C-alpha cells in the first residue's frame, strides 16, 4: 500500500510527473480491516487477487498461506525489493511522526498503541522484502491507469491509499480512468475495492456521485460499503 504523506523527501518515491507518494508496508490484517475482508473469505476466492499499488506490503506473502494467490503491481518494483523496503522504512518514520502529532486520526480503527501498530509494519516490510526476492514474478512494475493484465484476470482487485488520497495528483478524469482499469482486470462476478474515499486531511471526495454516474455510463456498477464507523470502501463490479 501507499499512503498520503505529510511532507516530501526521501520517504517518498516519485510517480510519473514527479508527484510524491509515501511508501508503506501494511500487513494482511490491516488490509482485511480496511477493505471489509476476512482471512476465510480470501482463502475461498476462486481466483487470484491484485494489489495495486502494492508498495512494500505483506499481502502477497501472508495471503499465500491461506491458499490465496496475490499479484502486486506498483511502479516502485522497478527499484528492486531492497530499495523499496528502504523507502518503506523511511515511510514508517514519517508515519510515526504523524501518529505522534495526530494519533486519533492516523491510527486505524481497532489500534490503540502506535508503537505496536508500527511494529506490524516492520514485520510486513521484512516479509515483503523476502517474498519479493524469492518470487519476483508476484511483483509487477506497473501503475494505474494502464495495467499489463488481461481483461478479467483477478477475482478480487484492491487499491488502497492512492486514487482519492492524492486529489492534487489524481484529477477526476484520472480517477475515472483508473477505476475503469481496475474494473477491466476484474473477472466477471468479482469485485474491485478502493479505499479510502478521503484525502490525507480526512476530506471525502466531493465528486464521488459524479464518478459513480460516469462508471454507470461505462456499464460498471458501484456501491459504497461501510467497513467500520466513518470508514467506507468503493466497490466496483466488472464492466459489461
Amino acid at each position: 500500500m501507499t499512503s498520503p504523506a505529510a511532507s516530501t523527501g526521501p520517504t517518498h518515491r516519485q510517480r510519473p510527473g514527479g508527484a510524491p507518494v509515501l511508501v508503506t508496508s501494511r500487513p494482511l490484517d490491516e488490509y482485511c480491516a480496511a477493505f471489509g475482508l476476512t482471512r476465510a473469505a480470501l482463502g475461498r476466492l476462486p481466483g487470484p487477487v491484485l494489489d495495486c499499488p502494492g508498495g512494500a506490503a505483506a499481502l502477497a506473502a501472508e495471503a499465500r498461506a491461506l491458499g490465496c494467490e496475490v499479484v502486486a503491481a506498483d511502479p516502485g518494483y522497478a527499484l528492486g525489493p531492497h530499495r523499496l523496503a528502504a523507502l518503506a522504512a523511511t515511510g514508517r518514520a514519517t508515519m510515526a511522526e504523524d501518529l505522534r502529532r495526530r494519533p486519533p486520526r492516523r491510527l486505524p480503527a481497532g489500534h490503540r498503541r502506535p508503537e505496536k501498530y508500527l511494529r506490524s509494519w516492520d514485520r510486513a516490510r521484512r516479509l515483503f522484502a523476502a517474498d519479493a526476492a524469492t518470487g519476483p514474478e508476484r511483483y509487477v512494475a506497473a501503475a494505474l491507469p494502464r495495467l499489463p493484465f488481461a481483461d478479467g484476470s483477478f477475482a478480487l482487485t484492491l487499491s488502497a491509499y492512492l486514487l482519492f488520497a492524492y486529489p492534487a495528483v489524481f484529477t477526476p478524469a484520472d480517477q475515472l480512468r483508473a477505476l475503469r482499469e481496475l474494473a477491466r482486470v476484474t473477472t466477471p462476478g468479482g469485485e474491485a475495492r478502493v479505499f479510502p474515499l478521503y484525502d490525507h486531511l480526512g476530506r471525502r471526495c466531493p465528486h464521488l456521485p459524479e464518478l459513480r454516474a460516469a462508471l454507470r455510463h461505462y456499464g460498471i456498477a458501484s456501491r459504497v460499503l461501510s467497513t467500520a464507523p466513518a470508514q467506507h470502501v468503493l466497490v466496483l463490479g466488472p464492466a459489461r
Side-chain angles (χ1 to χ4, degrees):
M1 288 186 178
T2 57
S3 181
S7 61
T8 59
T11 303
H12 308 76
R13 58 176 165 77
Q14 300 293 311
R15 294 188 69 256
V21 176
L22 182 67
V23 180
T24 63
S25 49
R26 300 172 194 265
L28 170 61
D29 286 342
E30 188 168 350
Y31 272 82
C32 287
F35 286 105
L37 301 170
T38 65
R39 288 172 174 254
L42 288 172
R44 291 192 300 267
L45 285 173
V49 173
L50 175 64
D51 180 16
C52 179
L59 180 63
E62 291 190 273
R64 198 160 56 256
L66 306 174
C68 177
E69 177 190 351
V70 176
V71 175
D74 194 295
Y77 297 148
L79 301 173
H82 297 295
R83 175 58 178 155
L84 195 63
L87 289 175
T90 311
R92 191 254 200 215
T94 295
M95 181 60 75
E97 176 60 19
D98 282 354
L99 288 172
R100 185 188 67 79
R101 292 187 289 111
R102 299 177 292 181
R105 182 156 62 82
R106 298 298 285 180
L107 268 178
H111 290 273
R112 296 178 181 272
R113 296 168 53 193
E115 278 307 312
K116 183 177 180 181
Y117 172 60
L118 291 170
R119 284 197 298 271
S120 74
W121 280 30
D122 294 335
R123 177 178 177 273
R125 188 174 64 252
R126 292 191 295 268
L127 288 171
F128 157 77
D131 194 60
T134 58
E137 70 280 0
R138 293 188 287 271
Y139 298 87
V140 179
L144 288 167
R146 290 188 177 181
L147 299 175
F149 307 114
D151 294 1
S153 293
F154 301 97
L156 177 64
T157 300
L158 305 176
S159 185
Y161 292 103
L162 186 68
L163 297 181
F164 299 109
Y166 295 91
V169 175
F170 290 92
T171 67
D174 295 328
Q175 291 166 343
L176 178 59
R177 282 191 290 269
L179 291 169
R180 289 180 63 196
E181 184 73 346
L182 293 173
R184 180 189 70 79
V185 301
T186 304
T187 192
E191 288 184 345
R193 295 191 175 199
V194 181
F195 172 86
L197 307 185
Y198 52 79
D199 65 11
H200 69 288
L201 296 177
R203 297 174 300 200
R204 184 159 172 156
C205 174
H207 53 271
L208 186 60
E210 289 80 5
L211 275 176
R212 295 183 64 196
L215 289 169
R216 286 195 299 273
H217 173 77
Y218 289 103
I220 301 171
S222 70
R223 61 190 174 95
V224 175
L225 173 68
S226 296
T227 58
Q231 186 164 295
H232 303 90
V233 173
L234 182 63
V235 181
L236 309 179
R240 294 195 297 269

